[in-house]
Amino acid sequence: SVTFTDQSTNGPTSWSWDFGDPATTADTSTAQNPSYVYPAAGSYPVSLTATNAFGSGSITTTVVVTSAPPPSGNLLTNGGFELADGSNHPTGWKVINGFTRSAAIPPQEGSFTGLHASTADAGWNVYQQVSVTAGQRYDFSGRVNIPATADAFKFQVKLSWRGASNTTVVVKKYTDDTAGAWQTVSATSLVAPAGATSVRIQMVPSSLNGSVYVDDFVFSRSP
């Protein structure tokens, strides 16, 4: 949907718009500031003729319509970790053996959580990568639950923009447990930088000797 604004001078009293849509003959309007819904992406020659008591004047310009933006819902696949493959790894996520689907503790929603299990490995990276539009704002939220432990560890939730300008946003870094309580991690109005074509939503534990549960990861366009 494109809205057009008349900027004619000398007090016009009537307007004739042609929106340049070759798919129909009903692509005209006599409103001063009309709107038109284009059926597809493309370049359209739009013309306006404005008329007053002394005559008329016309102008033509090209309007470029891009593809419709993606829906405002969750852009992540299996953000609730409800689905798993035959090895019990949550589908949609790039994982190693230390990350599985779990029903060991009550999830926030659904029947399962994601579980980073105790391991001697350090610094592995579990992630999912989705396409983004440079300059668009995005929101991220998720939940983390770390049962009480005296062991030292680190656990980070990060977003890494991929493209011409690779930058990383650390949403949350844990060096202590949450005593078995769910905590919300979030970042809002994150602007995809110039050149960004995708983003990786990453979970990076290191020196982990306990368990970290995650649930309800959502990455979406900002309203």
Side-chain angles (χ1 to χ4, degrees):
S1 178
V2 180
T3 298
F4 298 91
T5 302
D6 167 51
Q7 294 182 331
S8 304
T9 58
N10 298 321
T13 55
S14 64
W15 301 265
S16 177
W17 293 84
D18 187 321
F19 303 119
D21 183 358
T24 179
T25 58
D27 62 338
T28 61
S29 176
T30 58
Q32 182 180 7
N33 300 306
S35 295
Y36 185 75
V37 178
Y38 286 94
S43 298
Y44 299 88
V46 178
S47 63
L48 166 64
T49 298
T51 303
N52 64 13
F54 301 97
S56 63
S58 299
I59 189 173
T60 299
T61 190
T62 299
V63 171
V64 178
V65 178
T66 59
S67 299
S72 59
N74 195 359
L75 301 179
L76 291 173
T77 299
N78 195 25
F81 310 102
E82 293 294 308
L83 304 176
D85 61 19
S87 299
N88 205 32
H89 299 151
T91 57
W93 295 89
K94 301 293 185 181
V95 301
I96 66 169
N97 291 333
F99 185 63
T100 59
R101 184 178 68 167
S102 174
I105 65 172
Q108 288 292 276
E109 295 181 6
S111 301
F112 298 95
T113 70
L115 168 62
H116 297 268
S118 175
T119 179
D121 294 335
W124 79 68
N125 185 349
V126 176
Y127 71 91
Q128 185 172 152
Q129 188 161 315
V130 298
S131 297
V132 297
T133 300
Q136 171 66 46
R137 293 181 181 273
Y138 295 89
D139 298 329
F140 170 81
S141 65
R143 296 181 186 272
V144 174
N145 187 326
I146 307 174
T149 176
D151 292 324
F153 68 93
K154 293 179 182 178
F155 180 73
Q156 295 186 74
V157 179
K158 304 194 298 185
L159 277 69
S160 295
W161 304 106
R162 317 292 290 182
S165 300
N166 292 340
T167 57
T168 298
V169 176
V170 177
V171 180
K172 182 73 174 182
K173 180 179 179 180
Y174 289 92
T175 57
D176 198 2
D177 62 70
T178 67
W182 285 103
Q183 289 189 355
T184 298
V185 296
S186 64
T188 59
S189 294
L190 299 168
V191 180
T197 58
S198 62
V199 65
R200 285 186 178 182
I201 287 78
Q202 300 172 278
M203 294 173 279
V204 186
S206 60
S207 304
L208 180 63
N209 293 304
S211 298
V212 175
Y213 297 90
V214 293
D215 205 2
D216 302 332
F217 275 32
V218 177
F219 182 78
S220 61
R221 290 168 59 98
S222 297

